[in-house]
Amino acid sequence: MKKALHSLSGALMAAVFMLAATAVSAQTTKEEFLSKWENSKQFTIDVLEKMPESGMDYRTDSDAMSFKEQIHHIGNAVVGISQGFLKGGDPGFTIDMATATKAELADYIGKCYDYGTATMQALSDADAGETIEVFGNNVTRRQVMALLMDHTTHHRGAAIAYLRAEGVEPPAFVGF
């Protein structure tokens, strides 16, 4: 009986360690996140570049953002959220959407992502783990980084639907 109990407790202990190791390995490091962030940047620019000039003002209905506005919104949110919640300073760039060309918008998006990258890289581990209030929720700055990724994915997905509605084949998804 004592031997069976010892074996059972050993197996239980091994299972606990395996679960703990799985939980730890499931976490994403800042470097892994930023690698995926760079992929998101390129994918967003690729989606923008696929839309012909004639489709830049396309919108699904009169209340929806246009394709151009969807892409601009991605960049604006990266900058605004990075400034407001990730300790970012003045990005030092803007864009005039009334006159912006597709090439200028692509350059702007690249700068927005690069600004987000620099802001995230500048966060210490302590700053990244600090809990702050964001839109009525208490979250860590790491969670804000994840929010930015989700937000960019959401609006890029809408832009991809706009491409398809305009008869344009979107760029292939690249996961890593």
Side-chain angles (χ1 to χ4, degrees):
M1 176 76 165
K2 190 173 181 181
K3 188 174 182 180
L5 201 52
H6 183 67
S7 293
L8 181 60
S9 66
L12 199 52
M13 187 67 97
V16 168
F17 281 123
M18 286 175 25
L19 285 173
T22 301
V24 169
S25 67
Q27 301 302 312
T28 301
T29 66
K30 188 187 289 188
E31 292 75 24
E32 290 168 340
F33 177 87
L34 290 173
S35 174
K36 184 66 181 147
W37 183 250
E38 185 63 28
N39 181 67
S40 177
K41 170 187 168 183
Q42 188 58 55
F43 193 32
T44 302
I45 292 169
D46 290 347
V47 168
L48 169 60
E49 289 176 352
K50 280 285 199 165
M51 181 62 88
E53 287 288 345
S54 62
M56 293 296 287
D57 291 322
Y58 174 79
R59 61 182 72 233
T60 55
D61 66 59
S62 60
D63 292 331
M65 285 188 268
S66 69
F67 176 86
K68 186 178 185 179
E69 291 167 338
Q70 287 280 1
I71 299 296
H72 176 256
H73 179 71
I74 291 169
N76 250 16
V78 169
V79 170
I81 291 171
S82 294
Q83 281 181 304
F85 304 110
L86 299 179
K87 298 187 163 195
D90 179 5
F93 58 87
T94 60
I95 189 170
D96 180 358
M97 281 299 290
T99 61
T101 65
K102 190 164 92 169
E104 290 168 337
L105 183 56
D107 180 64
Y108 175 76
I109 291 300
K111 287 178 180 176
C112 291
Y113 269 92
D114 291 346
Y115 171 80
T117 298
T119 301
M120 291 177 213
Q121 284 177 326
L123 288 175
S124 68
D125 288 342
D127 285 340
E130 182 182 1
T131 299
I132 57 174
E133 184 179 332
V134 179
F135 308 128
N137 300 287
N138 291 320
V139 297
T140 66
R141 285 191 172 89
R142 274 190 302 276
Q143 288 175 289
V144 173
M145 291 167 57
L147 168 75
L148 274 174
M149 186 69 81
D150 286 349
H151 183 263
T152 61
T153 300
H154 169 77
H155 286 283
R156 187 177 51 242
I160 287 170
Y162 285 29
L163 285 175
R164 290 193 184 279
E166 285 288 285
V168 177
E169 180 71 24
F173 175 73
V174 178
F176 298 98

